[in-house]
Amino acid sequence: MEFVFDGHNDVLLRLWRTLRNGADPVEEFLHGTPEGHIDGLRAKAGGLAGGLCAIYIPSGDLILKEPDDSGHYHTPLAAPLDHAPSLGIAMEKFALALRLERAGAWRICRSTADIRSAMADGIFAAVVHMEGCEAIGPDLSELEVFHAAGLRSLGPVWSRNNIFGHGVPFAYPLTPDTGPGLTAAGFELVKACDRMGIAIDLAHITEQGFWDVAKTSEMPLIASHSNVHALTQVARNLTDRQMDAIRERRGVVGLNYAVTMLRPDARDDAATSLDLMVRHIDYMVERMGIDCVALGSDFDGATVPESIRDAAGNQKLVAALKSAGYAQDDLAKLCRENWMRVLGQVWRETR
């Protein structure tokens, strides 16, 4: 079995909803559930040894548009969120992450040594990530506290605008060049993340925001759960030029399992072949090299191919990549080692 460290999941969102519905999220993770994609049992069955676990603040007003007769759709950006309630939800989710650690369900990791140690011990290696920074104010004081608690990665925006920058909509066909990039506060956030050793994720930001981060940050460029725009023309996918910049900075792109970002028609249809996942991997490897491609499933945040279904099916993708000709060393890079390299650099463990 090829152990996978995954660049993005939304399991904390699902477990937080379990908590709000009056059930026990720790029990759900420890002993399994038919809901969603990840729990401890399914992770072990599929070799999902850990990943970046997102603190995401839901947008209640977001309703995904249905495709028109041509298969096109364009969902307007969700409305900006207020800081105070966003901070409250983020605190609840971080507290839940700490509860899971105390119960032995997973281990919060702050270094690549922590990740490797958790993997060796057979404990899910959770890196706390913040997807959209509505919980952080312009003076960045909350960032200091979250970092002290274990936050090691963030995306300045989700697919909505905030005080730090602008997000891309869920739309097809559309390029990621959909609006402005970072605000003045966003530039300061990026500089602070570089100083503190917090990875900056470009998965939901506009193309202009991508270039703003590229010229401000000194760290490798990271898109934790994005695919190839040339193959699937959704706004969330990366252009060739963006991938070239990621290659030049020795960054990483995590393949998103979301079928809407894999299929040429961008439809939300689980009857999606693993061949399309391999096709996106092949394209990224050819464009950026094997050292810049990884996995970023978006488990518990998207519809994934029915043949994978959930974390227990993760090795089916590994098998498909092996059948496509990827050697053992390449599979190790795709499944975990490229994440270890990039995170180690951002976290100032290596040069």
Side-chain angles (χ1 to χ4, degrees), residues 288-325:
M288 297 184 293
I290 192 68
D291 292 334
C292 295
V293 186
L295 304 180
S297 68
D298 212 359
F299 277 148
D300 282 314
T303 302
V304 305
E306 61 187 5
S307 56
I308 290 181
R309 186 175 177 179
D310 55 30
N314 224 22
Q315 293 300 309
K316 294 180 180 178
L317 174 58
V318 177
L321 291 168
K322 189 173 183 178
S323 295

Side-chain angles (χ1 to χ4, degrees), residues 194 218-220 250 341-351:
D194 269 18
E218 298 179 354
M219 292 296 147
R250 296 196 72 235
R341 174 185 62 80
V342 168
L343 292 175
Q345 185 173 346
V346 173
W347 296 341
R348 308 297 173 88
E349 299 170 2
T350 59
R351 292 293 180 183

Side-chain angles (χ1 to χ4, degrees), residues 38 60 65 70 78 199 252 260 279 289 292:
I38 298 177
K65 290 283 188 179
S70 300
V252 71
T260 56
R279 187 181 180 205
C292 295

Side-chain angles (χ1 to χ4, degrees), residues 50-117:
L52 276 77
C53 301
I55 291 175
Y56 159 73
I57 313 304
S59 277
D61 66 327
L62 183 72
I63 301 175
L64 295 175
K65 290 283 188 179
E66 291 294 324
D68 63 20
D69 291 341
S70 300
H72 299 174
Y73 56 87
H74 192 300
T75 299
L77 287 175
L81 300 179
D82 292 335
H83 171 64
S86 299
L87 177 58
I89 292 172
M91 292 290 287
E92 290 175 13
K93 291 189 175 183
F94 216 129
L96 176 55
L98 293 168
R99 279 183 59 191
L100 287 160
E101 181 173 56
R102 287 194 300 272
W106 68 19
R107 188 176 298 165
I108 296 176
C109 298
R110 297 164 175 82
S111 68
T112 58
D114 287 349
I115 295 170
R116 294 193 188 278
S117 176

Side-chain angles (χ1 to χ4, degrees), residues 159-328:
S159 287
R160 62 185 168 228
N161 302 332
N162 62 26
I163 63 170
F164 299 111
H166 297 79
V168 293
F170 296 99
Y172 166 83
L174 192 67
T175 76
D177 186 16
T178 59
L182 294 178
T183 65
F187 282 105
E188 294 306 310
L189 174 67
V190 170
K191 293 173 187 175
C193 287
D194 269 18
R195 288 195 305 271
M196 298 168 70
I198 299 173
I200 301 165
D201 181 16
L202 302 166
H204 280 270
I205 204 164
T206 61
E207 186 172 2
Q208 182 58 54
F210 177 101
W211 299 118
D212 287 344
V213 172
K215 72 183 182 184
T216 306
S217 173
E218 298 179 354
M219 292 296 147
L221 300 177
I222 296 170
S224 69
H225 55 305
S226 298
N227 295 338
V228 178
H229 191 270
L231 299 179
T232 305
Q233 295 178 10
V234 296
R236 282 267 288 102
N237 280 344
L238 297 166
T239 66
D240 287 353
R241 185 166 169 248
Q242 287 175 301
M243 286 188 285
D244 291 345
I246 291 169
R247 180 196 67 232
E248 290 166 8
R249 294 282 283 272
R250 296 196 72 235
V252 71
V253 179
L255 176 81
N256 195 322
Y257 297 11
V259 296
T260 56
M261 297 176 66
L262 292 166
R263 298 172 59 91
D265 62 8
R267 288 191 178 268
D268 191 21
D269 183 356
T272 295
S273 169
L274 295 186
D275 291 344
L276 291 178
M277 304 179 82
V278 175
R279 187 181 180 205
H280 279 262
I281 289 276
D282 286 344
Y283 191 107
M284 290 192 284
V285 168
E286 182 176 350
R287 191 84 195 185
M288 297 184 293
I290 192 68
D291 292 334
C292 295
V293 186
L295 304 180
S297 68
D298 212 359
F299 277 148
D300 282 314
T303 302
V304 305
E306 61 187 5
S307 56
I308 290 181
R309 186 175 177 179
D310 55 30
N314 224 22
Q315 293 300 309
K316 294 180 180 178
L317 174 58
V318 177
L321 291 168
K322 189 173 183 178
S323 295
Y326 287 92
Q328 199 65 40

Side-chain angles (χ1 to χ4, degrees), residues 8-27:
H8 186 86
N9 69 69
D10 285 295
V11 68
L12 278 173
L13 173 63
R14 195 195 79 228
L15 295 175
W16 173 77
R17 285 174 169 158
T18 295
L19 179 66
R20 287 214 159 183
N21 288 332
D24 185 347
V26 175
E27 176 75 14

